[in-house]
Structures are given as C-alpha cells and as structure tokens.
Amino acid sequence: MYTIDNKIELICPAGNLPALRAAVDSGADAVYIGFRGGNNARNFPGLNFSPDEAKQGIEYARKNGARVFLAMNTFPQPEQWQSAIDSIDTAAELEVDALILADPGLMDYSRKTHPELRLHLSVQGSATNRDAICLYHEQFNIQRVVLPRVLSLAQVRQVIKEVPVEVEVFGFGSLCVMVEGRCSLSSYVTGDSPNTAGVCSPAQAVRWKETEEGRQSYLNDVLIERYNKDEPAGYPTLCKGRFYVEDNLYHAIEEPTSLNLLELLPDLMKCGVKAIKVEGRQRSKTYVAQVTSVLRQALDACFENPELYIADKQWITQLNSLAEGSCHTLGAYHRPWQ
Amino acid sequence: MKISIGPISYFWERQKVFDFYKSLEETPVDIVYLGETVCSKRRELSLDDWLVIADQLSKSGKEVILSTLTLIEAASELSYQNRIALNERYTVEANDMATIHNLNAKHSFVIGPHINTYNKATLKLFSEMGGCRWVIPVELGKETISTILQERTPGMETEIFAFGNLPLAFSARCYTARAHNRPKDSCGFICVDYPDGLPMFTQEKEPFLILNGIQTQSVAKQNLITLLDEINELGIDIIRIMPQAEGTIEIIDLFHKVMNGEIQPTVALEQMEIFHSFGKCNGYWFGDEGMVWIDKTNKQNKSFDSILE
C-alpha cells in the first residue's frame, strides 16, 4: 500500500514479561512474542511466554496503547502439528492483535478456523517478490508481510508499490545474511535449524577450547572461530566465523555485525514501509528498553521532519554499543553489500 | 523407483551443458530437470536453448521438467520465471511461491526442494493448487517423511535428494564474488571457474561448505545409495542425483545397478569413494545432523566422515 504520509510503526521483541513491559514503556507500537516450545524462531531455554503470561502481557500492552503480535514461525513437522494448531487456537482465544506465521499449512488452518485472526507473513516465509506475496494474500488473506533481509532499498520500494498488503522490514538487530526460511546450515551442523526447531547455532552445540593458537569456538566438531588473547570472543553463529577460501582467511560469509537502518528512515518512510521490526527476543529487558527508546526518538524525529532528519551520532553510538560486533551495516538494503 | 537428474547447480560453460545432457540420453535416467535455479546472472543458455535440450531429451524418452529460480527479487527475474511457468510444453518445478502463483492452479507442477513442505496439511494444500510431485526438503528425516506419506495424497509423487552436495542456503550476497573481492554487480561471472563450486575450510583446514554464488552447499556429498531399500519401503517414487562436473554417468550407473540388485549397496559405495573426496553424509535421513555419516548396519557408528577423511 503506497501512502506518502506513512507513520512507521515500531515493532519490538520480548522474550518475557519484563521485556514486554520495557518495550511498551519505551515507546513500542507493538511487541512480538512467542509461546514456549519449538514453534517459534527464538526457541531458547528460559525464554518465551506461557498462555497466562501472554494474557498478562496483552493486558499490559493494551492498557498502554500498544499491541501484541504472536510469532509462530517454524515449519511444524507431523509430530509438532497438534501442538502448533493448539497454539493457534490459544492465540485466537487470547485475541492477539496479529499472528505471525510462516508455514502454509498453519496459515490455511488459521484462516479456516479463525478467520477473524489477523495474519502476518513471517520473515521465515521467504517472500521476496510481488507474486509470492500475492499468493499468500490470496490464499490466506495475510494483511502484512515481513520482508527477508535480502532486498535492496530499491527492491523494497518496488514491492511496496505492487502488493496489496502492508510491508514490515527489519530495522535493527543481528543480521541474518541468508534468506530466512531457506537456510539449513544450522541443522547440517547441529541437527536443529530455524525451520525445524526455531534455533540457529543452538547453545547445546557450542563448545569452547583453549589452545596455543587461542580460544576456539565450535559448533559440535566444526571450528567456527579462533580468537587471539586480546580479541573479545563472540557467540559462534555458524555463518559469522572466519574461514579459509583458496588460502585466504576471512569472514567468508559475514562479519559479526548488526543491521541498523537509522540513516535510511526517511527513505523507508517515503517508500511506504508500514513498520520497522527490531530483532532480539533472546535479549535482556535492558537491551530492549534501550533499543526501543533510541528507535522511538529516531522515528518521531523523522516523522516530524523527514527532510531535516539526520541519524543522531549519539543514537548510533548507543546502538553500536549494544550491537553484535559493536558495529553496524545496512546489509542488503545497500546494494554494494551484496 | 525412478531416477531423476536435478538441475545443474553450478555455472557451466554453454558447451559443457549441451554435452552433459547429450551424455544422459543413453542412461537409465527417467526424469531430467533443466534450467538455472541459483543465479539469474548465469545466462550462458537462453530459455530457447533449454527448450532445445528439453526436446532432445524428450525424444530420447526422458520426462523433462523445467526448474525455476529459487531466490526471486528483481522484476527481470520475476518475468523470466513467469515465461517458464507459462510454457505450454513442459511441467515446471517451482522453487519459489511466485511460480506457484503464476501457474495459477491451471497447470500441474513439481513442488521443488526449496518450497517448505514440512507437514501433511501443507502438502495437501499444494496438491489442491496443482502440485503433482513433492521434492522433500533436505532437512526432513525418514520418521517425518514416513508419517507424511502414511496418508498418500492422491496423484502426488515423492522425490528425495539422493546424491550430491546439499543445497543448504541462499543469500542476496554472492560469496564467490566476495571471495574475489568483487561486488555482485560486477562479478565477472567468476563462478564459471568453479564447475563444482568453491570449497571453504575451517581454521583447522577441514573442508566445511561449498560456496556457489549466492548458494551455500555442504562440502560433503549426501549419498543415500546404502538406504535405497528403506527409501523404497517408505513409498518414495523417485531418487534425485545432482549433476557433477565429473562422474555423473558412473554415479547414475551405480544407483541403477543397486536398484536392479546387480550389485550390493556397500560395493557400490566403495566404488563411489572417488566421487566424495571431501567426504560423504547421510545424517538427515536418520534425523541427525546433516553432515554426519551413519553406517546403516551399525547405527552407533556415527562419524564426521567429511572431517575424518
């Protein structure tokens, strides 16, 4: 939907009730959460909501003028099917503001069983073009698509002009360099992937080894990264280590860095992006509060006066200090990155 | 069971492509998938060229399917796959939902391995939209496949990825161009120098992945030749062999001989060792990590073949 006067919604992550309250208090327009268990893409130990906690979260958000979206964005296999549709029924009972789904079978179930429930197509649905998005709209009546982090700004602009649904993009957080929903690297090494279990490079597969060459991080038996004594060690996300290609050692896939679209906000607003999403349901409430607060200020400033908007240096510094690798990138939105 | 040849995943020179498909004419292959599924910049062959190859293979008795691009972003990519979708001669393998949309339930199609079909409800849905064959996503193991196949969807065939480097991920970024410090938009078609992809190694010098333009593959070859009896028992109709820069004909021959009971699977496997110089894997079938090799006769004997070799 192409509208010039587009106030962009800020969609923030919450892995538990304190994080949800922090997001709402810091200015999120909506918070996205997941139920416990393997049916959402942040299936981490100690994280996520029981139905009762979700209810409390929804009450808190509504009281403060915010909405709550529920993400169920894995692709359930037969043994997970019943629990997945039970979760959809629960989400409908809780009257969540939107359900974020990736699996066509689940979307079909939701549409037929709970036609009143608003559906968003998850980033895991891998819809990167007009015709794919139209299919999800026609088949399942999705009202919004979350775009994979692979499109350039020009491509985002084109998609928005051509699709009959709202478009949400990732604005800040860890950067997935692969097309979401189309990456099995994690299950290749660890047995579990975002599609099958809602995890990437899961903690139970992480091993550390101190060697003469430095501290080494592994996923199962695969060496992901080796750190010198003075280098800070990061989490061994599979695609963010240094590897050899033709005898050159470098970040062959991607550096450990965060996506940050602060400087693109006026462009995103002009092209009609409906909402910006922050990655990080696994993060602390402090992180959520800080990121939400900076993005709230930035979005408000941009909406007030898009022509004069400049991404404040202090905001960038603050976000970099929270970011993976303490630095940021525009990712695929900026064509030379590709 | 039938044997299919998946689409060529690498960028081969034009003549190599023609020669490869000519060489398939006399093989016991039943089905051939044609076309570019990875990178829209690889245009050594036009759609008309592919159709010439399709006609020749068709004349030699092969079933021909036209495969489509997996990651579709640009308008030009959208219109190219639309031309393929609307061709009147051959069935299409859809690797993106855009293609299914363009087929508009008017033509039957193959649900490609990059369409996420992980449960019965999704398979049934695609069947209603015209899906006539399901290529199983590589992550799914035999327990899951078996459950999905318990209630066969009428008119739906099942195909499994039986030999080749596993297609594991797609990205907007081109890793082959990155390896040469070139931006994607001026890649110089460097992929043509790597007819089996570009291997990537860990800092312990263990082979890990294959970079193939915007696609990332396993460095180990998935090889299910010792599991064909189980695959058959589950009711899987077709085994897919991926085109290799060298040795595809020999690999087809070995699969065919095992399927006909002419040689033992373990003997065939020994003869195939030269084709997995970076190791072999079959873990996904057992519901394990995809990269491991599990000896069927001894489930405990799980090893990282790609690393140990």
Side-chain angles (χ1 to χ4, degrees), chain B residues 231-274:
Chain B
I231 290 169
N232 192 33
E233 275 165 33
L234 247 53
I236 293 169
D237 308 283
I238 302 155
I239 55 149
R240 174 177 289 207
I241 296 169
M242 295 304 283
Q244 311 291 309
E246 305 293 338
T248 315
I249 304 297
E250 291 85 340
I251 292 160
I252 294 166
D253 186 54
L254 288 167
F255 269 92
H256 183 66
K257 281 184 173 150
V258 172
M259 284 159 73
N260 284 354
E262 291 170 38
I263 54 169
Q264 287 298 313
T266 46
V267 175
L269 184 67
E270 274 168 32
Q271 293 182 24
M272 290 173 111
E273 287 299 340
I274 52 164

Coordinates of all heavy atoms in Angstrom, one line a residue, chain B residues 231-274:
Chain B
I231 N 14.2 -46.4 1.5 CA 13.6 -45.3 0.7 C 12.4 -45.9 -0.1 O 11.3 -45.4 -0.1 CB 14.6 -44.7 -0.2 CG1 15.6 -43.8 0.6 CG2 13.9 -43.8 -1.3 CD1 16.8 -43.3 -0.1
N232 N 12.6 -47.1 -0.7 CA 11.6 -47.8 -1.4 C 10.4 -48.2 -0.5 O 9.3 -48.0 -0.9 CB 12.2 -49.0 -2.1 CG 11.3 -49.6 -3.2 OD1 10.6 -48.8 -3.8 ND2 11.4 -50.9 -3.3
E233 N 10.8 -48.7 0.6 CA 9.7 -49.2 1.6 C 8.8 -48.1 2.0 O 7.6 -48.3 2.3 CB 10.4 -49.8 2.8 CG 10.8 -51.3 2.7 CD 11.7 -51.8 3.8 OE1 11.6 -51.2 4.9 OE2 12.6 -52.6 3.5
L234 N 9.4 -46.9 2.1 CA 8.6 -45.7 2.5 C 7.6 -45.3 1.4 O 6.7 -44.5 1.7 CB 9.5 -44.6 2.9 CG 9.5 -44.1 4.4 CD1 9.8 -45.3 5.3 CD2 10.6 -43.0 4.6
G235 N 7.8 -45.8 0.2 CA 6.9 -45.4 -0.9 C 7.4 -44.2 -1.6 O 6.6 -43.5 -2.3
I236 N 8.7 -43.9 -1.5 CA 9.3 -42.8 -2.2 C 9.4 -43.2 -3.7 O 9.9 -44.3 -3.9 CB 10.6 -42.3 -1.6 CG1 10.3 -41.6 -0.3 CG2 11.3 -41.3 -2.5 CD1 11.5 -41.3 0.6
D237 N 9.0 -42.4 -4.6 CA 8.9 -42.8 -6.0 C 10.2 -42.6 -6.8 O 10.5 -43.2 -7.8 CB 7.8 -42.1 -6.7 CG 6.5 -42.2 -6.0 OD1 5.9 -43.3 -6.0 OD2 6.1 -41.2 -5.3
I238 N 10.9 -41.5 -6.5 CA 12.0 -41.0 -7.3 C 13.2 -40.7 -6.5 O 13.1 -40.0 -5.4 CB 11.6 -39.7 -8.1 CG1 10.3 -40.0 -8.9 CG2 12.7 -39.2 -9.0 CD1 9.5 -38.8 -9.2
I239 N 14.4 -41.0 -6.9 CA 15.6 -40.6 -6.3 C 16.3 -39.6 -7.2 O 16.4 -39.8 -8.4 CB 16.6 -41.8 -5.9 CG1 16.9 -42.6 -7.2 CG2 16.0 -42.6 -4.8 CD1 18.2 -43.2 -7.1
R240 N 16.8 -38.5 -6.6 CA 17.4 -37.4 -7.4 C 18.9 -37.4 -7.2 O 19.4 -37.5 -6.1 CB 16.9 -36.1 -6.9 CG 17.5 -34.9 -7.6 CD 16.9 -33.5 -7.1 NE 15.6 -33.3 -7.7 CZ 15.1 -32.1 -7.9 NH1 15.8 -31.0 -7.7 NH2 13.9 -32.0 -8.4
I241 N 19.6 -37.4 -8.4 CA 21.0 -37.3 -8.4 C 21.4 -36.0 -9.0 O 20.8 -35.5 -10.0 CB 21.6 -38.4 -9.3 CG1 21.3 -39.8 -8.7 CG2 23.1 -38.3 -9.5 CD1 21.6 -41.0 -9.6
M242 N 22.3 -35.3 -8.3 CA 22.7 -33.9 -8.8 C 23.8 -34.0 -9.8 O 24.7 -34.8 -9.6 CB 23.0 -33.0 -7.7 CG 21.9 -32.7 -6.7 SD 20.4 -32.0 -7.5 CE 21.0 -30.3 -7.7
P243 N 23.8 -33.2 -10.9 CA 24.8 -33.1 -11.9 C 26.2 -32.8 -11.2 O 26.3 -31.8 -10.5 CB 24.4 -32.0 -12.8 CG 22.9 -32.0 -12.7 CD 22.7 -32.3 -11.2
Q244 N 27.2 -33.6 -11.6 CA 28.6 -33.3 -11.1 C 29.4 -32.9 -12.3 O 29.2 -33.4 -13.4 CB 29.1 -34.6 -10.5 CG 28.2 -35.3 -9.5 CD 28.1 -34.5 -8.2 OE1 29.1 -34.1 -7.6 NE2 26.8 -34.3 -7.8
A245 N 30.4 -32.1 -12.0 CA 31.3 -31.7 -13.1 C 31.9 -33.0 -13.8 O 32.1 -33.0 -15.0 CB 32.4 -30.8 -12.6
E246 N 32.2 -34.0 -13.0 CA 32.8 -35.2 -13.5 C 32.1 -36.4 -12.8 O 31.8 -36.3 -11.6 CB 34.3 -35.4 -13.2 CG 35.2 -34.2 -13.7 CD 35.2 -34.1 -15.2 OE1 35.0 -35.2 -15.8 OE2 35.5 -33.0 -15.7
G247 N 31.8 -37.5 -13.5 CA 31.4 -38.7 -12.9 C 29.9 -39.0 -12.8 O 29.5 -40.0 -12.3
T248 N 29.1 -38.1 -13.3 CA 27.7 -38.3 -13.1 C 27.2 -39.6 -13.7 O 26.4 -40.3 -13.1 CB 26.9 -37.1 -13.8 OG1 27.5 -35.9 -13.4 CG2 25.4 -37.1 -13.3
I249 N 27.7 -39.9 -14.9 CA 27.2 -41.1 -15.6 C 27.6 -42.4 -14.8 O 26.7 -43.3 -14.6 CB 27.9 -41.2 -17.0 CG1 27.6 -40.0 -17.8 CG2 27.5 -42.5 -17.7 CD1 26.2 -39.7 -18.1
E250 N 28.8 -42.4 -14.2 CA 29.2 -43.5 -13.4 C 28.3 -43.6 -12.1 O 27.9 -44.7 -11.7 CB 30.6 -43.4 -12.9 CG 31.6 -43.6 -14.1 CD 31.9 -42.3 -14.8 OE1 31.1 -41.3 -14.8 OE2 33.0 -42.2 -15.5
I251 N 27.9 -42.5 -11.6 CA 27.1 -42.5 -10.4 C 25.7 -43.0 -10.7 O 25.1 -43.8 -10.0 CB 27.1 -41.0 -9.8 CG1 28.4 -40.7 -9.2 CG2 26.0 -40.9 -8.7 CD1 28.7 -39.2 -9.0
I252 N 25.2 -42.5 -11.8 CA 23.8 -43.0 -12.3 C 23.9 -44.5 -12.4 O 23.0 -45.2 -11.9 CB 23.4 -42.4 -13.6 CG1 23.2 -40.9 -13.5 CG2 22.2 -43.0 -14.2 CD1 23.2 -40.1 -14.8
D253 N 24.9 -45.0 -13.1 CA 25.1 -46.4 -13.3 C 25.1 -47.2 -12.0 O 24.4 -48.3 -11.9 CB 26.4 -46.6 -14.1 CG 26.5 -48.1 -14.6 OD1 25.6 -48.6 -15.2 OD2 27.6 -48.7 -14.3
L254 N 25.8 -46.7 -11.0 CA 25.9 -47.5 -9.7 C 24.5 -47.5 -9.0 O 24.1 -48.5 -8.5 CB 27.0 -46.8 -8.9 CG 28.4 -47.2 -9.3 CD1 29.4 -46.3 -8.6 CD2 28.7 -48.6 -9.1
F255 N 23.8 -46.3 -9.0 CA 22.5 -46.3 -8.4 C 21.6 -47.3 -9.2 O 20.8 -48.1 -8.5 CB 21.9 -44.9 -8.5 CG 22.2 -44.1 -7.3 CD1 23.3 -43.2 -7.2 CD2 21.4 -44.1 -6.1 CE1 23.6 -42.5 -6.1 CE2 21.7 -43.4 -5.0 CZ 22.8 -42.5 -5.0
H256 N 21.6 -47.3 -10.5 CA 20.8 -48.2 -11.3 C 21.1 -49.6 -11.0 O 20.2 -50.4 -10.8 CB 21.0 -47.8 -12.8 CG 20.1 -48.6 -13.7 ND1 18.8 -48.4 -13.7 CD2 20.4 -49.6 -14.6 CE1 18.3 -49.3 -14.6 NE2 19.2 -50.0 -15.2
K257 N 22.4 -50.0 -10.9 CA 22.7 -51.4 -10.6 C 22.2 -51.8 -9.2 O 21.8 -52.9 -9.0 CB 24.2 -51.5 -10.7 CG 24.7 -51.6 -12.1 CD 26.2 -51.9 -12.2 CE 26.7 -52.1 -13.6 NZ 28.0 -51.7 -13.8
V258 N 22.4 -50.9 -8.2 CA 21.9 -51.3 -6.9 C 20.4 -51.5 -6.9 O 19.8 -52.4 -6.3 CB 22.3 -50.2 -5.8 CG1 21.6 -50.5 -4.5 CG2 23.8 -50.2 -5.7
M259 N 19.7 -50.6 -7.6 CA 18.2 -50.7 -7.7 C 17.8 -52.0 -8.3 O 16.7 -52.5 -8.0 CB 17.6 -49.4 -8.4 CG 17.6 -48.2 -7.6 SD 17.6 -46.7 -8.5 CE 15.9 -46.6 -9.0
N260 N 18.6 -52.4 -9.3 CA 18.2 -53.7 -10.0 C 18.8 -54.9 -9.3 O 18.7 -56.0 -9.9 CB 18.7 -53.6 -11.4 CG 17.9 -52.8 -12.3 OD1 16.8 -52.3 -11.8 ND2 18.3 -52.5 -13.5
G261 N 19.4 -54.7 -8.2 CA 20.0 -55.9 -7.5 C 21.2 -56.4 -8.1 O 21.6 -57.6 -7.8
E262 N 21.9 -55.7 -9.0 CA 23.0 -56.2 -9.7 C 24.3 -56.2 -8.9 O 25.2 -57.0 -9.1 CB 23.3 -55.4 -11.0 CG 22.2 -55.7 -12.1 CD 22.3 -54.8 -13.3 OE1 23.4 -54.5 -13.7 OE2 21.2 -54.4 -13.8
I263 N 24.4 -55.2 -8.0 CA 25.5 -55.2 -7.0 C 25.0 -54.8 -5.6 O 23.9 -54.1 -5.5 CB 26.7 -54.2 -7.4 CG1 26.2 -52.8 -7.7 CG2 27.4 -54.7 -8.6 CD1 27.3 -51.8 -7.8
Q264 N 25.8 -55.1 -4.6 CA 25.4 -54.8 -3.3 C 25.7 -53.3 -3.0 O 26.6 -52.7 -3.6 CB 26.3 -55.6 -2.3 CG 26.0 -57.0 -2.2 CD 24.6 -57.2 -1.7 OE1 24.2 -56.6 -0.7 NE2 23.8 -58.1 -2.3
P265 N 24.8 -52.6 -2.2 CA 25.0 -51.2 -2.0 C 26.4 -50.9 -1.4 O 27.0 -49.9 -1.8 CB 23.9 -50.9 -0.9 CG 22.9 -52.0 -1.1 CD 23.6 -53.2 -1.6
T266 N 26.9 -51.7 -0.5 CA 28.2 -51.4 0.1 C 29.3 -51.5 -1.0 O 30.3 -50.7 -0.9 CB 28.5 -52.4 1.2 OG1 28.2 -53.8 0.7 CG2 27.7 -52.1 2.4
V267 N 29.1 -52.4 -1.9 CA 30.1 -52.5 -3.0 C 30.1 -51.2 -3.9 O 31.1 -50.6 -4.2 CB 29.9 -53.7 -3.9 CG1 30.9 -53.7 -5.1 CG2 30.0 -55.0 -3.0
A268 N 28.8 -50.8 -4.2 CA 28.7 -49.6 -5.0 C 29.3 -48.4 -4.2 O 29.9 -47.5 -4.8 CB 27.2 -49.3 -5.2
L269 N 29.0 -48.3 -2.9 CA 29.6 -47.2 -2.1 C 31.1 -47.2 -2.2 O 31.7 -46.1 -2.3 CB 29.1 -47.4 -0.6 CG 29.5 -46.2 0.3 CD1 28.8 -45.0 -0.1 CD2 29.2 -46.6 1.7
E270 N 31.7 -48.3 -2.1 CA 33.2 -48.4 -2.2 C 33.6 -47.8 -3.6 O 34.6 -47.0 -3.6 CB 33.7 -49.8 -2.1 CG 33.9 -50.2 -0.6 CD 34.2 -51.7 -0.5 OE1 34.7 -52.3 -1.5 OE2 33.7 -52.3 0.5
Q271 N 32.9 -48.2 -4.6 CA 33.3 -47.7 -5.9 C 33.0 -46.2 -6.1 O 33.5 -45.5 -7.0 CB 32.5 -48.4 -7.0 CG 32.9 -49.9 -7.1 CD 32.2 -50.7 -8.2 OE1 31.7 -50.1 -9.1 NE2 32.1 -52.0 -8.0
M272 N 32.2 -45.6 -5.2 CA 31.9 -44.2 -5.3 C 32.8 -43.3 -4.5 O 32.7 -42.1 -4.6 CB 30.4 -43.9 -4.8 CG 29.4 -44.5 -5.7 SD 27.8 -44.3 -4.9 CE 27.0 -43.1 -6.0
E273 N 33.7 -43.9 -3.7 CA 34.5 -43.1 -2.8 C 35.3 -42.0 -3.6 O 35.5 -40.9 -3.1 CB 35.5 -44.0 -2.0 CG 34.9 -44.8 -0.9 CD 34.2 -44.0 0.2 OE1 34.5 -42.8 0.3 OE2 33.3 -44.5 0.9
I274 N 35.7 -42.3 -4.8 CA 36.4 -41.3 -5.6 C 35.6 -40.1 -5.9 O 36.1 -39.0 -6.2 CB 36.9 -41.9 -6.9 CG1 35.8 -42.5 -7.7 CG2 38.1 -42.8 -6.7 CD1 36.2 -42.7 -9.2

